[in-house]
Amino acid sequence: MMFQPGEPIPQTMAGYGELAVRRLCQASGLAELETQAVDGYRIMTESWGQRRIEDGPPWSILTPDSTPIEYSVLLQDEPVAVRVAIEALADPPTPDGYWANAQRLTARLAETYGLYTEHLHRIEHLFAPRPGLRQPMVALHVMGWSRTGAPEGKIYLCVPRSEPGYCGPIYDEALTLLGFPGQWQRIADALHPDDVVPFFSLDLSDAPSARTKVYVQHRGRLTAQRLERFDRLAANPHAGAGPALARIANRAEQRSAWAPGATARTKLQWRSNSRRYWSADTYVALVHGQSQPIDTVLHQFALPTRCRNDAESDRMVHEVLDAFAVSDRSRAAYTRCVDSLVGPDPAKQMYNLTYVSARHDDSGTPRIAVYFNPRMFHSRFGLTNGDLAQTWRFQGMSVPRTEW
């Protein structure tokens, strides 16, 4: 995150992240949401907020530098929502400790916002950490604040192994318990041999529109055909953006070039990050009360694996905005967010812009989400979520002496 000369830099993780929340609300044109977003953010960061940044990053794979926060702004005909994603942490970092704090956070958010948790309690035993299974993340919470309704909550649950042959029975049982029998096989039939399925998501709501989502990550070469297979699953008649988005993503990767003067360390970090940070995801969303439960398919793209600096990432986002004919008002809001969170020279920055996703809603209105990392640890500690020693410690493994 960019700081102005002479601007005091917050010393705690909570303070640093709160400044970014405030900036995002102001820059996106959603200043009226700032107070409630900050209040929610403070609840979400209770498990680690007072930790000092100088103490180093705790374990997290939410962002490349282990910042356990990610922000996003949702753009339609105008900016409509800001969202905060938080990973609950524990000290010492262990899957069991993170899971316990994630459960506490679910309870806190449910009590504060009246979130619905019955569906979560029905299936959470399937995703709880188990001895001998080494999952890099256990849960992630998202809260969103919009002009159009009450705050919305979601939870993302992680499986310890994401190969379909292993996690397929887990997803099949979870979907069946939630009232979607037989739907896992429809998703499995659309998978490419290189696809993995690491996340399961629930809207913490009992509204008819509440969604259950299965996240597919696409390893290997991305093609229009791979995404089109998922587009065909959706009941939404406006689905079908996969091929266009694949072309945009592949063009961005082909033209990606190093910024002048990029250091060897920067190039090494990018190569390391691109190997472990999947470049394209698809979620398949299911809802109750209709003959075709798979309602929506959405594709999203990790910008740091295709674009080697934030200027290139910004260009790719603009190509998505062009393809979806996003309004001038939303474009201006996005540009202000980049100026506020990235700074005046994005060609010399990387990892501030993290994801972009796009789809049309049932009426054909574009819905674009752009994701930002405040880079709490990047300037001082670099990319840390690929630190094998830290990974092994989190998973309860002994660190080989060569890593000491």
Side-chain angles (χ1 to χ4, degrees), residues 193-261:
D194 290 336
D195 289 339
V196 294
V197 194
F199 294 109
F200 191 88
S201 171
L202 289 175
D203 288 356
L204 298 177
S205 167
D206 60 354
S209 59
R211 297 174 299 169
T212 297
K213 295 184 289 188
V214 177
Y215 276 78
V216 178
Q217 291 181 331
H218 307 295
R219 293 177 173 176
R221 181 171 175 265
L222 181 67
T223 65
Q225 291 74 22
R226 289 179 70 174
L227 300 190
E228 191 174 27
R229 286 170 65 90
F230 288 94
D231 289 341
R232 290 197 292 266
L233 295 177
N236 181 349
H238 299 285
L245 290 169
R247 288 191 289 271
I248 291 171
N250 287 333
R251 280 201 307 268
E253 186 171 30
Q254 289 165 7
R255 67 170 174 257
S256 182
W258 295 114

Side-chain angles (χ1 to χ4, degrees), residues 12-18 21 37-51 68-71 84-89 101 105 108-109 141 143 145 376:
T12 65
M13 291 174 63
Y16 191 105
E18 182 176 319
V21 173
V38 168
D39 288 346
Y41 166 84
R42 289 174 178 172
I43 293 172
M44 296 175 78
T45 58
E46 286 175 347
S47 67
W48 48 257
Q50 295 312 304
R51 182 185 175 106
I69 318 168
E70 189 173 63
Y71 306 105
V84 178
I86 296 287
E87 184 178 11
L89 311 178
N101 278 345
L105 179 54
R108 284 279 285 131
L109 294 173
H141 291 80
M143 287 296 303
W145 296 270
M376 189 178 293

Side-chain angles (χ1 to χ4, degrees), residues 22 120 249 334:
R22 294 184 183 278
L120 171 62
Y334 163 72

Side-chain angles (χ1 to χ4, degrees), residues 70-277:
E70 189 173 63
Y71 306 105
S72 58
V73 57
L74 180 61
L75 306 172
Q76 293 185 305
D77 289 333
E78 62 178 2
V80 295
V82 293
R83 301 180 298 199
V84 178
I86 296 287
E87 184 178 11
L89 311 178
D91 191 13
T94 65
D96 286 339
Y98 280 33
W99 180 256
N101 278 345
Q103 290 180 306
R104 293 187 187 98
L105 179 54
T106 299
R108 284 279 285 131
L109 294 173
E111 178 183 13
T112 303
Y113 295 108
L115 303 182
Y116 179 79
T117 58
E118 181 180 328
H119 286 166
L120 171 62
H121 296 323
R122 197 178 296 175
I123 56 98
E124 63 184 342
H125 66 282
L126 298 172
F127 298 91
R130 304 176 194 177
L133 296 180
R134 302 165 183 162
Q135 56 201 97
M137 173 184 276
V138 295
L140 172 69
H141 291 80
V142 176
M143 287 296 303
W145 296 270
S146 74
R147 289 187 169 126
T148 58
E152 297 181 343
K154 310 175 190 293
I155 188 167
Y156 293 75
L157 304 169
C158 179
V159 290
R161 287 178 54 188
S162 56
E163 302 90 338
Y166 175 84
C167 65
I170 296 175
Y171 290 126
D172 191 24
E173 183 175 355
L175 290 173
T176 300
L177 289 172
L178 293 171
F180 301 113
Q183 295 304 306
W184 164 251
Q185 190 57 52
R186 294 190 64 211
I187 298 170
D189 288 345
L191 296 174
H192 183 276
D194 290 336
D195 289 339
V196 294
V197 194
F199 294 109
F200 191 88
S201 171
L202 289 175
D203 288 356
L204 298 177
S205 167
D206 60 354
S209 59
R211 297 174 299 169
T212 297
K213 295 184 289 188
V214 177
Y215 276 78
V216 178
Q217 291 181 331
H218 307 295
R219 293 177 173 176
R221 181 171 175 265
L222 181 67
T223 65
Q225 291 74 22
R226 289 179 70 174
L227 300 190
E228 191 174 27
R229 286 170 65 90
F230 288 94
D231 289 341
R232 290 197 292 266
L233 295 177
N236 181 349
H238 299 285
L245 290 169
R247 288 191 289 271
I248 291 171
N250 287 333
R251 280 201 307 268
E253 186 171 30
Q254 289 165 7
R255 67 170 174 257
S256 182
W258 295 114
T263 66
R265 180 189 182 205
T266 294
K267 296 177 182 179
L268 178 62
Q269 285 188 338
W270 184 87
R271 286 195 296 272
S272 175
N273 197 49
S274 67
R275 286 196 298 269
R276 67 178 184 271
Y277 200 55

